Amino acid sequence: MEESLRSAAFGDGLPPPDSFAVPASPRGRLLAAIGLGARGRYAAAATLLAGLRTSKDPVLASLAASTLASHRRQLGGHAAALVLDGEALALAIAEPPGEPDIDGLDAEGARADALLGLAADNLGRGRLAAARRLLARAEAHTGNWRSRTRAGWVGAEIELASNISRAAIAPAEMALETAQARGACRHVVKSRLVLGVTIANGSSADRDRAKALVESARETAEKYEFNSLLWVACLLAADLGAGHADEYRFRGAEVLHAVLRHADPCGRWLARQSPWVPH
């Protein structure tokens, strides 16, 4: 069961055979929460994460807090995520290395998750200097593919927010290459979206590539029901002038509505208050 949950979260993206079963092990519940969040089922994920945040294992509790922070951030709640990422860092900061995990579900990965989350939180609140400092701190802990991929996303987004689009390309390309090497379907989808946005305002060849990247991401997100990314991919595809723009906008709004219906009350409130989430 745990291996199929891990594959759903970090591998082929296929849901486990029994998607509604609650795993017995704490690690399994964390992986299930990650997979649920990817599909926009934030309320179910939050229920699992609430128990894990009080775990006596500080690494597991830290990973649970940073996972919930990422779900809050996906709904535009950067201030709420900041508190959770701070909690995650406090739990993981002094933990010994322990047994390494291929996907970064270990002490080093927990520190990277918390610091990268804090960088993204500050970025979303317009604090670019703080975001850069936190990204630099996080890069000392990016020894696994997942942390490197996420660092690429945050690095690219910081450069875009700083209006240095050419500097955003290298970290975005690195993120995509790293996710593809791991065969991490969901991370490939997000990496294509980040890279597509990064190169969209370049040459005509860059813009054509951006359209292809976003369309590929949209198709894969649709296939695997990565609803947390699908509504974004649909709106990006429409904004890039892809065919069927009206259809994509309608589909994006439809998926976002479904995501909000499956969010917990806090998540829905954050989305309603956020300038980042369409209303």
Side-chain angles (χ1 to χ4, degrees):
M1 180 67 170
E2 191 169 309
E3 281 307 307
S4 64
L5 288 166
R6 185 180 288 266
S7 184
F10 304 131
D12 60 21
L14 294 171
D18 188 350
S19 300
F20 297 99
V22 177
S25 71
R27 180 65 61 90
R29 290 197 292 278
L30 175 65
L31 289 165
I34 293 169
L36 287 165
R39 287 167 173 80
R41 294 175 58 190
Y42 292 124
T47 299
L48 293 175
L49 294 169
L52 295 172
R53 284 172 61 200
T54 61
S55 171
K56 293 181 180 178
D57 179 349
V59 172
L60 186 67
S62 173
L63 290 165
S66 59
T67 299
L68 183 57
S70 73
H71 296 171
R72 298 304 191 216
R73 197 162 47 247
Q74 287 161 18
L75 292 174
H78 294 86
L82 187 74
V83 175
L84 290 161
D85 283 317
E87 174 187 319
L89 184 60
L91 287 162
I93 194 66
E95 282 302 296
E99 187 71 22
D101 181 271
I102 187 174
D103 298 312
L105 302 184
D106 51 30
E108 194 77 342
R111 283 188 282 273
D113 277 0
L115 287 164
L116 289 168
L118 287 167
D121 300 332
N122 278 278
L123 173 61
R125 303 185 76 194
R127 300 172 176 175
L128 298 185
R132 285 187 185 278
R133 289 195 299 270
L134 287 157
L135 175 60
R137 285 184 63 189
E139 286 173 342
H141 305 285
T142 54
N144 66 84
W145 73 269
R146 189 171 63 84
S147 297
R148 288 193 298 275
T149 300
R150 295 187 68 225
W153 297 341
V154 176
E157 289 163 359
I158 288 173
E159 300 302 346
L160 285 174
S162 304
N163 293 317
I164 314 175
S165 56
R166 299 308 297 178
I169 295 175
E173 293 275 19
M174 181 274 292
L176 179 56
E177 291 168 5
T178 303
Q180 287 175 326
R182 171 65 174 91
C185 183
R186 176 169 58 89
H187 291 73
V188 168
V189 168
K190 179 161 181 180
S191 297
R192 284 175 175 158
L193 293 176
V194 172
L195 181 56
V197 171
T198 299
I199 64 175
N201 292 323
S203 66
S204 59
D206 285 338
R207 190 169 180 83
D208 287 343
R209 186 185 177 206
K211 289 179 183 178
L213 285 165
V214 170
E215 181 60 14
S216 174
R218 187 198 62 78
E219 289 176 350
T220 305
E222 187 82 66
K223 177 179 179 181
Y224 292 102
E225 298 182 354
F226 294 149
N227 287 345
S228 63
L229 295 170
L230 177 56
W231 69 268
V232 178
C234 288
L235 297 182
L236 281 175
D239 287 346
L240 284 173
H244 312 292
D246 290 342
E247 179 184 328
Y248 287 159
R249 286 195 180 90
F250 177 83
R251 179 61 178 148
E254 182 180 51
V255 174
L256 177 58
H257 179 70
V259 165
L260 294 177
R261 281 194 296 107
H262 288 93
D264 58 305
C266 178
R268 286 195 297 273
W269 184 85
L270 291 170
R272 285 197 300 268
Q273 303 301 310
S274 174
W276 300 102
V277 178
H279 297 91

